[in-house]
Amino acid sequence: MKKFFALLFAAFTCFAAQAGDLRATGMTMVDKGGFTLGVGIGTPGYGGANKAVMPMITVDGQWGLASGFINSKHFGNNGAVDLGFQYGLCGYNLWKEAGLKGGVMQNMVVLRSAFHYQFVKKLDTYAGFFGGCDISSPTGDWDEVTKDKWDHVDSMFGMYWGGKWYFTDTFGAGIEFEDDFIKGNAPIVSAKVSFKF
């Protein structure tokens, strides 16, 4: 799985570098006052003995706070800052091989903000921070002791970065990486599609 995502990222980067125009475009992919909605599929947030029965599905939204505030010789009016949210959902069937019944639903709810810079025409590259909570809810047949162990809320804080290639003015696709500094409950890598409104 890791090799697949690494190969996908390498192919995407080569495609973007060859197809892009490094001259000034006079625009950014994130517009002040604009809204972007994204949907992603990524690696499960919990690792180890926890067996995921589905990948992490995410939905995110960003509002452009500022754009075009950096004027450079090679890249034109560039730079943008956004503020948004992300919700993630993943399901696990714990220790199935041991004959135990019961699973966990993971819900990730965070606020995010990123800085965007367009090095290549149509390619939005960004990096930022997120903070929020990770909510675990047990499912299936659990005894009370085990159920209490998995029924909890954890804090989340970390960094994310990635790139999206916009095939049209309103539709893009790309890859994103996340690192939860506290417990590592965020998806490490996700493939995403985005829609600009």
Side-chain angles (χ1 to χ4, degrees):
M1 186 86 152
K2 290 181 180 178
K3 290 181 180 179
F4 170 74
F5 280 115
L7 186 61
L8 181 66
F9 179 71
F12 177 80
T13 304
C14 291
F15 170 74
Q18 290 178 359
D21 177 8
L22 291 174
R23 301 309 301 165
T25 63
M27 58 171 276
T28 60
M29 299 312 297
V30 176
D31 301 319
K32 182 178 179 180
F35 178 71
T36 304
L37 179 67
V39 179
I41 182 169
T43 56
Y46 300 161
N50 307 331
K51 305 301 181 183
V53 295
M54 61 180 283
M56 174 74 82
I57 306 297
T58 60
V59 176
D60 59 80
Q62 297 88 35
W63 289 269
L65 297 182
S67 64
F69 53 84
I70 299 176
N71 192 357
S72 66
K73 179 180 178 181
H74 294 287
F75 303 112
N77 292 331
N78 213 322
V81 175
D82 71 18
L83 178 65
F85 67 90
Q86 182 180 43
Y87 171 75
L89 176 68
C90 194
Y92 305 86
N93 188 354
L94 304 186
W95 305 291
K96 183 178 180 181
E97 65 276 8
L100 299 175
K101 294 182 179 180
V104 170
M105 291 302 294
Q106 176 193 8
N107 296 272
M108 180 180 75
V109 182
V110 296
L111 294 176
R112 315 192 326 162
S113 183
F115 170 74
H116 299 252
Y117 198 85
Q118 187 179 340
F119 295 97
V120 177
K121 185 179 179 181
K122 296 187 178 181
L123 178 64
D124 175 27
T125 54
Y126 57 92
F129 292 95
F130 66 84
C133 62
D134 179 69
I135 306 165
S136 296
S137 304
T139 62
D141 300 326
W142 289 92
D143 60 63
E144 290 305 314
V145 175
T146 312
K147 184 175 181 180
D148 289 343
K149 176 184 176 182
W150 286 99
D151 192 8
H152 58 82
V153 177
D154 291 323
S155 297
M156 296 184 76
F157 176 75
M159 186 175 183
Y160 67 103
W161 61 96
K164 291 181 281 188
W165 181 269
Y166 277 89
F167 299 94
T168 71
D169 291 340
T170 57
F171 174 75
I175 193 165
E176 182 176 288
F177 301 89
E178 296 182 63
D179 186 7
D180 174 21
F181 299 155
I182 299 177
K183 286 196 172 183
N185 290 340
I188 296 172
V189 60
S190 300
K192 294 198 168 189
V193 293
S194 296
F195 305 90
K196 290 174 64 176
F197 296 93

PDB file of all heavy atoms in Angstrom, residues 111-139:
ATOM      1  N   LEU A 111     -10.204  21.663  12.874  1.00  0.00           N
ATOM      2  CA  LEU A 111     -10.103  22.926  12.141  1.00  0.00           C
ATOM      3  C   LEU A 111      -8.732  22.974  11.500  1.00  0.00           C
ATOM      4  O   LEU A 111      -7.754  22.487  12.081  1.00  0.00           O
ATOM      5  CB  LEU A 111     -10.299  24.120  13.071  1.00  0.00           C
ATOM      6  CG  LEU A 111     -11.685  24.277  13.692  1.00  0.00           C
ATOM      7  CD1 LEU A 111     -11.688  25.465  14.663  1.00  0.00           C
ATOM      8  CD2 LEU A 111     -12.742  24.477  12.611  1.00  0.00           C
ATOM      9  N   ARG A 112      -8.642  23.582  10.305  1.00  0.00           N
ATOM     10  CA  ARG A 112      -7.381  23.618   9.578  1.00  0.00           C
ATOM     11  C   ARG A 112      -7.139  24.999   8.977  1.00  0.00           C
ATOM     12  O   ARG A 112      -8.075  25.709   8.660  1.00  0.00           O
ATOM     13  CB  ARG A 112      -7.363  22.588   8.437  1.00  0.00           C
ATOM     14  CG  ARG A 112      -7.888  21.261   8.836  1.00  0.00           C
ATOM     15  CD  ARG A 112      -7.650  20.128   7.870  1.00  0.00           C
ATOM     16  NE  ARG A 112      -7.652  20.387   6.447  1.00  0.00           N
ATOM     17  CZ  ARG A 112      -7.119  19.556   5.553  1.00  0.00           C
ATOM     18  NH1 ARG A 112      -6.530  18.455   5.943  1.00  0.00           N
ATOM     19  NH2 ARG A 112      -7.178  19.815   4.269  1.00  0.00           N
ATOM     20  N   SER A 113      -5.866  25.323   8.816  1.00  0.00           N
ATOM     21  CA  SER A 113      -5.490  26.548   8.112  1.00  0.00           C
ATOM     22  C   SER A 113      -4.170  26.305   7.400  1.00  0.00           C
ATOM     23  O   SER A 113      -3.255  25.691   7.968  1.00  0.00           O
ATOM     24  CB  SER A 113      -5.347  27.719   9.083  1.00  0.00           C
ATOM     25  OG  SER A 113      -5.056  28.914   8.374  1.00  0.00           O
ATOM     26  N   ALA A 114      -4.074  26.764   6.146  1.00  0.00           N
ATOM     27  CA  ALA A 114      -2.873  26.486   5.359  1.00  0.00           C
ATOM     28  C   ALA A 114      -2.432  27.701   4.555  1.00  0.00           C
ATOM     29  O   ALA A 114      -3.234  28.584   4.247  1.00  0.00           O
ATOM     30  CB  ALA A 114      -3.118  25.310   4.410  1.00  0.00           C
ATOM     31  N   PHE A 115      -1.150  27.701   4.211  1.00  0.00           N
ATOM     32  CA  PHE A 115      -0.564  28.668   3.291  1.00  0.00           C
ATOM     33  C   PHE A 115      -0.387  27.980   1.947  1.00  0.00           C
ATOM     34  O   PHE A 115       0.133  26.865   1.875  1.00  0.00           O
ATOM     35  CB  PHE A 115       0.786  29.165   3.810  1.00  0.00           C
ATOM     36  CG  PHE A 115       1.550  29.981   2.816  1.00  0.00           C
ATOM     37  CD1 PHE A 115       1.160  31.283   2.533  1.00  0.00           C
ATOM     38  CD2 PHE A 115       2.641  29.455   2.140  1.00  0.00           C
ATOM     39  CE1 PHE A 115       1.855  32.045   1.594  1.00  0.00           C
ATOM     40  CE2 PHE A 115       3.349  30.204   1.211  1.00  0.00           C
ATOM     41  CZ  PHE A 115       2.947  31.512   0.941  1.00  0.00           C
ATOM     42  N   HIS A 116      -0.840  28.614   0.876  1.00  0.00           N
ATOM     43  CA  HIS A 116      -0.767  28.057  -0.475  1.00  0.00           C
ATOM     44  C   HIS A 116       0.200  28.879  -1.325  1.00  0.00           C
ATOM     45  O   HIS A 116       0.217  30.105  -1.234  1.00  0.00           O
ATOM     46  CB  HIS A 116      -2.135  28.098  -1.157  1.00  0.00           C
ATOM     47  CG  HIS A 116      -3.188  27.305  -0.444  1.00  0.00           C
ATOM     48  ND1 HIS A 116      -3.674  26.114  -0.925  1.00  0.00           N
ATOM     49  CD2 HIS A 116      -3.848  27.542   0.716  1.00  0.00           C
ATOM     50  CE1 HIS A 116      -4.594  25.653  -0.102  1.00  0.00           C
ATOM     51  NE2 HIS A 116      -4.720  26.504   0.904  1.00  0.00           N
ATOM     52  N   TYR A 117       0.963  28.187  -2.175  1.00  0.00           N
ATOM     53  CA  TYR A 117       1.834  28.871  -3.128  1.00  0.00           C
ATOM     54  C   TYR A 117       1.836  28.077  -4.420  1.00  0.00           C
ATOM     55  O   TYR A 117       1.964  26.855  -4.419  1.00  0.00           O
ATOM     56  CB  TYR A 117       3.255  29.011  -2.583  1.00  0.00           C
ATOM     57  CG  TYR A 117       4.057  30.056  -3.322  1.00  0.00           C
ATOM     58  CD1 TYR A 117       3.972  31.395  -2.949  1.00  0.00           C
ATOM     59  CD2 TYR A 117       4.865  29.720  -4.390  1.00  0.00           C
ATOM     60  CE1 TYR A 117       4.695  32.372  -3.627  1.00  0.00           C
ATOM     61  CE2 TYR A 117       5.586  30.686  -5.070  1.00  0.00           C
ATOM     62  CZ  TYR A 117       5.491  32.013  -4.684  1.00  0.00           C
ATOM     63  OH  TYR A 117       6.193  32.971  -5.358  1.00  0.00           O
ATOM     64  N   GLN A 118       1.707  28.758  -5.524  1.00  0.00           N
ATOM     65  CA  GLN A 118       1.600  28.109  -6.828  1.00  0.00           C
ATOM     66  C   GLN A 118       2.921  28.238  -7.572  1.00  0.00           C
ATOM     67  O   GLN A 118       3.221  29.253  -8.177  1.00  0.00           O
ATOM     68  CB  GLN A 118       0.457  28.754  -7.615  1.00  0.00           C
ATOM     69  CG  GLN A 118       0.140  28.059  -8.912  1.00  0.00           C
ATOM     70  CD  GLN A 118      -1.010  28.736  -9.631  1.00  0.00           C
ATOM     71  OE1 GLN A 118      -1.792  29.463  -9.040  1.00  0.00           O
ATOM     72  NE2 GLN A 118      -1.105  28.489 -10.925  1.00  0.00           N
ATOM     73  N   PHE A 119       3.734  27.164  -7.544  1.00  0.00           N
ATOM     74  CA  PHE A 119       5.012  27.143  -8.254  1.00  0.00           C
ATOM     75  C   PHE A 119       4.827  26.803  -9.727  1.00  0.00           C
ATOM     76  O   PHE A 119       5.668  27.138 -10.552  1.00  0.00           O
ATOM     77  CB  PHE A 119       5.959  26.112  -7.621  1.00  0.00           C
ATOM     78  CG  PHE A 119       6.368  26.451  -6.222  1.00  0.00           C
ATOM     79  CD1 PHE A 119       5.707  25.897  -5.145  1.00  0.00           C
ATOM     80  CD2 PHE A 119       7.406  27.337  -5.984  1.00  0.00           C
ATOM     81  CE1 PHE A 119       6.082  26.201  -3.847  1.00  0.00           C
ATOM     82  CE2 PHE A 119       7.796  27.653  -4.695  1.00  0.00           C
ATOM     83  CZ  PHE A 119       7.121  27.082  -3.627  1.00  0.00           C
ATOM     84  N   VAL A 120       3.756  26.088 -10.038  1.00  0.00           N
ATOM     85  CA  VAL A 120       3.465  25.640 -11.393  1.00  0.00           C
ATOM     86  C   VAL A 120       2.012  25.973 -11.702  1.00  0.00           C
ATOM     87  O   VAL A 120       1.145  25.822 -10.844  1.00  0.00           O
ATOM     88  CB  VAL A 120       3.693  24.111 -11.529  1.00  0.00           C
ATOM     89  CG1 VAL A 120       3.330  23.624 -12.922  1.00  0.00           C
ATOM     90  CG2 VAL A 120       5.133  23.757 -11.194  1.00  0.00           C
ATOM     91  N   LYS A 121       1.762  26.425 -12.924  1.00  0.00           N
ATOM     92  CA  LYS A 121       0.396  26.732 -13.327  1.00  0.00           C
ATOM     93  C   LYS A 121      -0.499  25.514 -13.130  1.00  0.00           C
ATOM     94  O   LYS A 121      -0.132  24.401 -13.498  1.00  0.00           O
ATOM     95  CB  LYS A 121       0.385  27.167 -14.800  1.00  0.00           C
ATOM     96  CG  LYS A 121      -0.967  27.634 -15.294  1.00  0.00           C
ATOM     97  CD  LYS A 121      -0.878  28.065 -16.743  1.00  0.00           C
ATOM     98  CE  LYS A 121      -2.231  28.520 -17.265  1.00  0.00           C
ATOM     99  NZ  LYS A 121      -2.159  28.924 -18.684  1.00  0.00           N
ATOM    100  N   LYS A 122      -1.653  25.723 -12.539  1.00  0.00           N
ATOM    101  CA  LYS A 122      -2.666  24.708 -12.252  1.00  0.00           C
ATOM    102  C   LYS A 122      -2.333  23.796 -11.074  1.00  0.00           C
ATOM    103  O   LYS A 122      -3.130  22.942 -10.709  1.00  0.00           O
ATOM    104  CB  LYS A 122      -2.973  23.849 -13.483  1.00  0.00           C
ATOM    105  CG  LYS A 122      -3.591  24.624 -14.631  1.00  0.00           C
ATOM    106  CD  LYS A 122      -4.008  23.684 -15.737  1.00  0.00           C
ATOM    107  CE  LYS A 122      -4.672  24.459 -16.873  1.00  0.00           C
ATOM    108  NZ  LYS A 122      -5.123  23.558 -17.961  1.00  0.00           N
ATOM    109  N   LEU A 123      -1.142  23.943 -10.465  1.00  0.00           N
ATOM    110  CA  LEU A 123      -0.770  23.106  -9.331  1.00  0.00           C
ATOM    111  C   LEU A 123      -0.810  23.931  -8.050  1.00  0.00           C
ATOM    112  O   LEU A 123      -0.063  24.888  -7.888  1.00  0.00           O
ATOM    113  CB  LEU A 123       0.631  22.524  -9.523  1.00  0.00           C
ATOM    114  CG  LEU A 123       1.151  21.663  -8.373  1.00  0.00           C
ATOM    115  CD1 LEU A 123       0.292  20.410  -8.217  1.00  0.00           C
ATOM    116  CD2 LEU A 123       2.613  21.282  -8.609  1.00  0.00           C
ATOM    117  N   ASP A 124      -1.708  23.552  -7.144  1.00  0.00           N
ATOM    118  CA  ASP A 124      -1.831  24.206  -5.842  1.00  0.00           C
ATOM    119  C   ASP A 124      -1.041  23.404  -4.822  1.00  0.00           C
ATOM    120  O   ASP A 124      -1.381  22.262  -4.523  1.00  0.00           O
ATOM    121  CB  ASP A 124      -3.314  24.274  -5.444  1.00  0.00           C
ATOM    122  CG  ASP A 124      -3.517  24.832  -4.038  1.00  0.00           C
ATOM    123  OD1 ASP A 124      -2.662  25.613  -3.590  1.00  0.00           O
ATOM    124  OD2 ASP A 124      -4.530  24.473  -3.407  1.00  0.00           O
ATOM    125  N   THR A 125       0.038  23.971  -4.303  1.00  0.00           N
ATOM    126  CA  THR A 125       0.818  23.327  -3.242  1.00  0.00           C
ATOM    127  C   THR A 125       0.563  24.081  -1.948  1.00  0.00           C
ATOM    128  O   THR A 125       0.445  25.306  -1.948  1.00  0.00           O
ATOM    129  CB  THR A 125       2.320  23.330  -3.569  1.00  0.00           C
ATOM    130  OG1 THR A 125       2.746  24.664  -3.853  1.00  0.00           O
ATOM    131  CG2 THR A 125       2.609  22.443  -4.759  1.00  0.00           C
ATOM    132  N   TYR A 126       0.486  23.352  -0.839  1.00  0.00           N
ATOM    133  CA  TYR A 126       0.095  23.982   0.419  1.00  0.00           C
ATOM    134  C   TYR A 126       0.653  23.225   1.622  1.00  0.00           C
ATOM    135  O   TYR A 126       1.030  22.057   1.530  1.00  0.00           O
ATOM    136  CB  TYR A 126      -1.433  24.039   0.523  1.00  0.00           C
ATOM    137  CG  TYR A 126      -2.110  22.699   0.421  1.00  0.00           C
ATOM    138  CD1 TYR A 126      -2.401  21.943   1.542  1.00  0.00           C
ATOM    139  CD2 TYR A 126      -2.435  22.154  -0.828  1.00  0.00           C
ATOM    140  CE1 TYR A 126      -3.001  20.698   1.443  1.00  0.00           C
ATOM    141  CE2 TYR A 126      -3.042  20.917  -0.943  1.00  0.00           C
ATOM    142  CZ  TYR A 126      -3.321  20.197   0.208  1.00  0.00           C
ATOM    143  OH  TYR A 126      -3.919  18.954   0.103  1.00  0.00           O
ATOM    144  N   ALA A 127       0.693  23.927   2.756  1.00  0.00           N
ATOM    145  CA  ALA A 127       1.096  23.330   4.029  1.00  0.00           C
ATOM    146  C   ALA A 127       0.434  24.128   5.138  1.00  0.00           C
ATOM    147  O   ALA A 127       0.277  25.352   5.027  1.00  0.00           O
ATOM    148  CB  ALA A 127       2.607  23.342   4.190  1.00  0.00           C
ATOM    149  N   GLY A 128       0.039  23.435   6.209  1.00  0.00           N
ATOM    150  CA  GLY A 128      -0.623  24.127   7.298  1.00  0.00           C
ATOM    151  C   GLY A 128      -0.740  23.270   8.542  1.00  0.00           C
ATOM    152  O   GLY A 128      -0.153  22.189   8.641  1.00  0.00           O
ATOM    153  N   PHE A 129      -1.522  23.764   9.507  1.00  0.00           N
ATOM    154  CA  PHE A 129      -1.703  23.096  10.784  1.00  0.00           C
ATOM    155  C   PHE A 129      -3.175  22.784  11.011  1.00  0.00           C
ATOM    156  O   PHE A 129      -4.059  23.470  10.488  1.00  0.00           O
ATOM    157  CB  PHE A 129      -1.181  23.970  11.925  1.00  0.00           C
ATOM    158  CG  PHE A 129       0.312  24.143  11.904  1.00  0.00           C
ATOM    159  CD1 PHE A 129       0.882  25.250  11.285  1.00  0.00           C
ATOM    160  CD2 PHE A 129       1.133  23.203  12.493  1.00  0.00           C
ATOM    161  CE1 PHE A 129       2.254  25.415  11.263  1.00  0.00           C
ATOM    162  CE2 PHE A 129       2.514  23.352  12.473  1.00  0.00           C
ATOM    163  CZ  PHE A 129       3.079  24.455  11.858  1.00  0.00           C
ATOM    164  N   PHE A 130      -3.434  21.739  11.810  1.00  0.00           N
ATOM    165  CA  PHE A 130      -4.803  21.395  12.177  1.00  0.00           C
ATOM    166  C   PHE A 130      -4.878  21.120  13.671  1.00  0.00           C
ATOM    167  O   PHE A 130      -3.880  20.778  14.315  1.00  0.00           O
ATOM    168  CB  PHE A 130      -5.318  20.185  11.386  1.00  0.00           C
ATOM    169  CG  PHE A 130      -4.606  18.888  11.682  1.00  0.00           C
ATOM    170  CD1 PHE A 130      -4.976  18.095  12.769  1.00  0.00           C
ATOM    171  CD2 PHE A 130      -3.582  18.449  10.863  1.00  0.00           C
ATOM    172  CE1 PHE A 130      -4.326  16.908  13.035  1.00  0.00           C
ATOM    173  CE2 PHE A 130      -2.930  17.253  11.118  1.00  0.00           C
ATOM    174  CZ  PHE A 130      -3.300  16.477  12.212  1.00  0.00           C
ATOM    175  N   GLY A 131      -6.078  21.283  14.230  1.00  0.00           N
ATOM    176  CA  GLY A 131      -6.311  20.988  15.636  1.00  0.00           C
ATOM    177  C   GLY A 131      -7.764  20.641  15.854  1.00  0.00           C
ATOM    178  O   GLY A 131      -8.644  21.203  15.205  1.00  0.00           O
ATOM    179  N   GLY A 132      -8.024  19.692  16.744  1.00  0.00           N
ATOM    180  CA  GLY A 132      -9.394  19.288  17.008  1.00  0.00           C
ATOM    181  C   GLY A 132      -9.440  18.068  17.891  1.00  0.00           C
ATOM    182  O   GLY A 132      -8.664  17.951  18.841  1.00  0.00           O
ATOM    183  N   CYS A 133     -10.351  17.143  17.569  1.00  0.00           N
ATOM    184  CA  CYS A 133     -10.499  15.964  18.415  1.00  0.00           C
ATOM    185  C   CYS A 133     -10.746  14.708  17.595  1.00  0.00           C
ATOM    186  O   CYS A 133     -11.213  14.763  16.461  1.00  0.00           O
ATOM    187  CB  CYS A 133     -11.617  16.163  19.434  1.00  0.00           C
ATOM    188  SG  CYS A 133     -13.238  16.410  18.701  1.00  0.00           S
ATOM    189  N   ASP A 134     -10.417  13.567  18.202  1.00  0.00           N
ATOM    190  CA  ASP A 134     -10.632  12.247  17.627  1.00  0.00           C
ATOM    191  C   ASP A 134     -11.583  11.502  18.566  1.00  0.00           C
ATOM    192  O   ASP A 134     -11.278  11.332  19.750  1.00  0.00           O
ATOM    193  CB  ASP A 134      -9.292  11.512  17.511  1.00  0.00           C
ATOM    194  CG  ASP A 134      -9.450  10.119  16.932  1.00  0.00           C
ATOM    195  OD1 ASP A 134      -9.770  10.027  15.742  1.00  0.00           O
ATOM    196  OD2 ASP A 134      -9.279   9.145  17.672  1.00  0.00           O
ATOM    197  N   ILE A 135     -12.736  11.085  18.063  1.00  0.00           N
ATOM    198  CA  ILE A 135     -13.777  10.465  18.882  1.00  0.00           C
ATOM    199  C   ILE A 135     -13.886   8.987  18.522  1.00  0.00           C
ATOM    200  O   ILE A 135     -14.154   8.640  17.370  1.00  0.00           O
ATOM    201  CB  ILE A 135     -15.139  11.157  18.664  1.00  0.00           C
ATOM    202  CG1 ILE A 135     -15.009  12.655  18.903  1.00  0.00           C
ATOM    203  CG2 ILE A 135     -16.204  10.549  19.561  1.00  0.00           C
ATOM    204  CD1 ILE A 135     -16.171  13.462  18.366  1.00  0.00           C
ATOM    205  N   SER A 136     -13.681   8.110  19.507  1.00  0.00           N
ATOM    206  CA  SER A 136     -13.791   6.665  19.308  1.00  0.00           C
ATOM    207  C   SER A 136     -15.098   6.173  19.917  1.00  0.00           C
ATOM    208  O   SER A 136     -15.410   6.485  21.065  1.00  0.00           O
ATOM    209  CB  SER A 136     -12.624   5.932  19.977  1.00  0.00           C
ATOM    210  OG  SER A 136     -11.407   6.286  19.378  1.00  0.00           O
ATOM    211  N   SER A 137     -15.846   5.368  19.157  1.00  0.00           N
ATOM    212  CA  SER A 137     -17.108   4.807  19.633  1.00  0.00           C
ATOM    213  C   SER A 137     -17.108   3.302  19.386  1.00  0.00           C
ATOM    214  O   SER A 137     -17.011   2.863  18.238  1.00  0.00           O
ATOM    215  CB  SER A 137     -18.292   5.434  18.892  1.00  0.00           C
ATOM    216  OG  SER A 137     -18.275   6.838  19.022  1.00  0.00           O
ATOM    217  N   PRO A 138     -17.214   2.477  20.450  1.00  0.00           N
ATOM    218  CA  PRO A 138     -17.235   1.031  20.257  1.00  0.00           C
ATOM    219  C   PRO A 138     -18.516   0.544  19.605  1.00  0.00           C
ATOM    220  O   PRO A 138     -19.587   1.122  19.811  1.00  0.00           O
ATOM    221  CB  PRO A 138     -17.094   0.471  21.677  1.00  0.00           C
ATOM    222  CG  PRO A 138     -17.417   1.585  22.583  1.00  0.00           C
ATOM    223  CD  PRO A 138     -17.239   2.869  21.848  1.00  0.00           C
ATOM    224  N   THR A 139     -18.403  -0.488  18.794  1.00  0.00           N
ATOM    225  CA  THR A 139     -19.561  -1.098  18.143  1.00  0.00           C
ATOM    226  C   THR A 139     -19.525  -2.604  18.405  1.00  0.00           C
ATOM    227  O   THR A 139     -18.468  -3.164  18.709  1.00  0.00           O
ATOM    228  CB  THR A 139     -19.547  -0.854  16.626  1.00  0.00           C
ATOM    229  OG1 THR A 139     -18.383  -1.469  16.071  1.00  0.00           O
ATOM    230  CG2 THR A 139     -19.540   0.623  16.310  1.00  0.00           C
TER     231      THR A 139
END
